[in-house]
Amino acid sequence: MRELFCPFVKLLGFQDCPRPDRQHQDCPTEIALFRDPPHTMDGCWRTRARLRAAKALHTTGRQTIPHQNRRVFIQQRPNGMPTLSDFGIATETIDHVPEGHAVVKVDTLSIDAWIRTTLSDGGLHETGDLGSTIRAFGVGQVVESKDESLKEGDWVYGLLSAQTHALMPAKALTKVSPQPGIAPSAFVGPLGITTGITAWVGLIAVGNVQAGEVVLVSGAAGAVGSCVVQLAKARGARVIGIAGGPEKCAYLVNDIGADAAIDYKTGDVGGQIRALAPDGIDVFFDNVGGEILDAALDNLRETGGSRVVICGAISQYQNFDDVRGPKLYLRLAERNAAMLGFVVSHHAARFGEAMAEISALILDSKMNLREHVVEPIDRFPDALLMLFDGSHIGNLVVRP
């Protein structure tokens, strides 16, 4: 056992065996070291880390390689619009991987509007604790695994959060398979739960879009909106997108195939909708809320059967204590229409169907989602603020 143990001691950084007086008789040294570290080393975090690594090596035959993780955390609750001072950045070491867990090197993180709701008390999603890493969905590669279901090099998707390396239970990760034509970042884009899958569920499973219908999309130049536009076109609908500014409107028509675009910054959104859809709209996919929602309600098809799909309300996320509801909700009754909200996870049984359809569209070049990439992880807060100031087009992502 001396020949086995002493190289471990050298490897872990000790110059000599910490218990030379034991002379490794009857192989007690490593057993005592694991169970009862020498008193001269008590309280030293470096020693404890080395002992954990030694135990892992002794029991599994593999040493846990420390991983330096840089993460972005919630430093204080935002008062209204978040500012950079609401976030903190820290570096820590992952030096122990429990059984059933894996370390994932984060490749791409999706910047989604729901993240804002986790920063404040009383938000729509579970509030993150102060000091906790900001939650975000991402895709990455396994660099160490203590679970039989994952091996090094596997690509996975999950709630990796705003960090460079994520220590995760293996059961919280979903293996994905990039292939020619489908890059890893597609799994936080058109194939991502919070982007393309959300678009598919809202438009098809909830909105029940049909060929020949008129579909209106707010926030159409964002990640979800861009996917909705292209899915609706693929299903044979006529699509009108609402966005802010001529560059985004040009993107909607020229890049992703919308039939028409409305620039809400020019005013009279209701009038613009009426001019483009004089008979009314059949499906309104809403990511924004507020005045734009009212403008859409006022333009529902008068003959009935219209569906308003509530995906998000980014215009209302800065003040949860005073959310502005629609003033024209009685149009729903007057025009025999329906307003439907949804949570994408409630439709998990149809995710496979959604991914199959979207994958086919990607490979046929009928689903193209522009990426706005922000690097490195320290700029995660900048990217989140960018989501609300409208300075991006397409899928806003962070590459650590």
Side-chain angles (χ1 to χ4, degrees):
M1 294 297 290
R2 179 173 188 172
E3 292 75 22
L4 175 66
F5 183 72
C6 286
F8 293 178
V9 172
K10 301 289 188 182
L11 181 64
L12 296 171
F14 296 118
Q15 293 302 310
D16 297 296
C17 175
R19 295 292 298 272
D21 56 302
R22 299 300 294 268
Q23 298 299 312
H24 309 283
Q25 295 175 359
D26 301 319
C27 57
T29 304
E30 63 271 33
I31 297 171
L33 184 59
F34 298 152
R35 184 181 64 245
D36 185 21
H39 72 279
T40 56
M41 298 182 183
D42 286 351
C44 174
W45 69 268
R46 292 183 179 86
T47 298
R48 290 197 297 273
R50 290 169 178 168
L51 295 179
R52 285 195 297 269
K55 185 173 182 179
L57 184 57
H58 178 69
T59 58
T60 69
R62 293 183 299 170
Q63 181 192 4
T64 295
I65 301 173
H67 305 277
Q68 294 298 310
N69 178 39
R70 193 156 175 84
R71 68 185 187 94
V72 181
F73 61 89
I74 308 171
Q75 186 157 269
Q76 62 187 18
R77 300 291 179 208
N79 181 15
M81 179 69 73
T83 64
L84 294 179
S85 62
D86 296 327
F87 307 95
I89 299 172
T91 300
E92 57 191 23
T93 301
I94 301 172
D95 55 27
H96 175 60
V97 181
E99 291 298 321
H101 287 64
V103 178
V104 179
K105 186 178 187 300
V106 180
D107 179 85
T108 310
L109 293 166
S110 179
I111 304 298
D112 303 308
W114 70 268
I115 297 171
R116 170 63 183 90
T117 74
T118 69
L119 306 180
S120 301
D121 293 322
L124 298 178
H125 300 85
E126 182 181 353
T127 300
D129 295 329
L130 293 179
S132 65
T133 306
I134 299 171
R135 293 195 289 273
F137 282 99
V139 64
Q141 261 188 311
V142 174
V143 293
E144 184 172 352
S145 176
K146 293 290 183 65
D147 189 273
E148 293 181 353
S149 67
L150 294 174
K151 65 180 184 299
E152 292 180 19
D154 282 346
W155 284 95
V156 293
Y157 172 88
L159 201 61
L160 302 184
S161 298
Q163 54 193 344
T164 59
H165 293 76
L167 175 61
M168 302 275 291
K171 63 183 180 181
L173 299 168
T174 300
K175 281 204 281 190
V176 296
S177 301
Q179 56 182 285
I182 299 180
S185 63
F187 294 94
V188 290
L191 293 172
I193 298 296
T194 57
T195 44
I197 304 300
T198 292
W200 190 96
V201 166
L203 181 69
I204 295 165
V206 178
N208 192 29
V209 67
Q210 301 295 315
E213 292 189 319
V214 177
V215 175
L216 178 69
V217 186
S218 66
V224 174
S226 294
C227 292
V228 172
V229 168
Q230 294 173 86
L231 284 168
K233 287 298 296 180
R235 290 276 178 142
R238 179 170 179 265
V239 183
I240 303 167
I242 304 175
E247 183 183 3
K248 291 184 177 181
C249 288
Y251 160 76
L252 292 177
V253 175
N254 299 330
D255 290 12
I256 62 174
D259 295 284
I262 293 172
D263 183 355
Y264 72 83
K265 293 184 177 181
T266 63
D268 192 15
V269 173
Q272 293 188 69
I273 297 172
R274 197 169 299 112
L276 291 169
D279 295 328
I281 56 177
D282 299 292
V283 178
F284 175 48
F285 193 105
D286 190 24
N287 294 299
V288 176
E291 294 178 358
I292 289 178
L293 174 56
D294 274 326
L297 290 172
D298 202 30
N299 281 279
L300 297 177
R301 189 178 292 277
E302 293 188 4
T303 54
S306 297
R307 289 86 70 199
V308 176
V309 179
I310 303 298
C311 178
I314 196 169
S315 70
Q316 304 298 306
Y317 289 166
Q318 306 308 328
N319 189 357
F320 290 110
D321 295 328
D322 188 25
V323 172
R324 178 190 183 282
K327 295 179 180 179
L328 299 180
Y329 73 94
L330 287 178
R331 293 290 187 273
L332 297 169
E334 294 169 1
R335 301 182 184 180
N336 196 34
M339 182 181 288
L340 306 163
F342 73 98
V343 176
V344 67
S345 58
H346 290 186
H347 299 264
R350 300 193 68 180
F351 284 3
E353 184 183 350
M355 294 190 74
E357 180 173 345
I358 295 170
S359 295
L361 291 174
I362 294 172
L363 294 174
D364 287 344
S365 299
K366 294 180 180 179
M367 174 69 74
N368 301 294
L369 182 56
R370 183 188 296 187
E371 286 187 343
H372 186 125
V373 180
V374 176
E375 298 176 322
I377 193 63
D378 290 25
R379 294 195 62 210
F380 187 97
D382 299 275
L384 188 58
L385 300 186
M386 195 179 295
L387 187 71
F388 293 94
D389 68 18
S391 59
H392 77 288
I393 295 177
N395 194 24
L396 182 58
V397 299
V398 169
R399 294 231 166 90

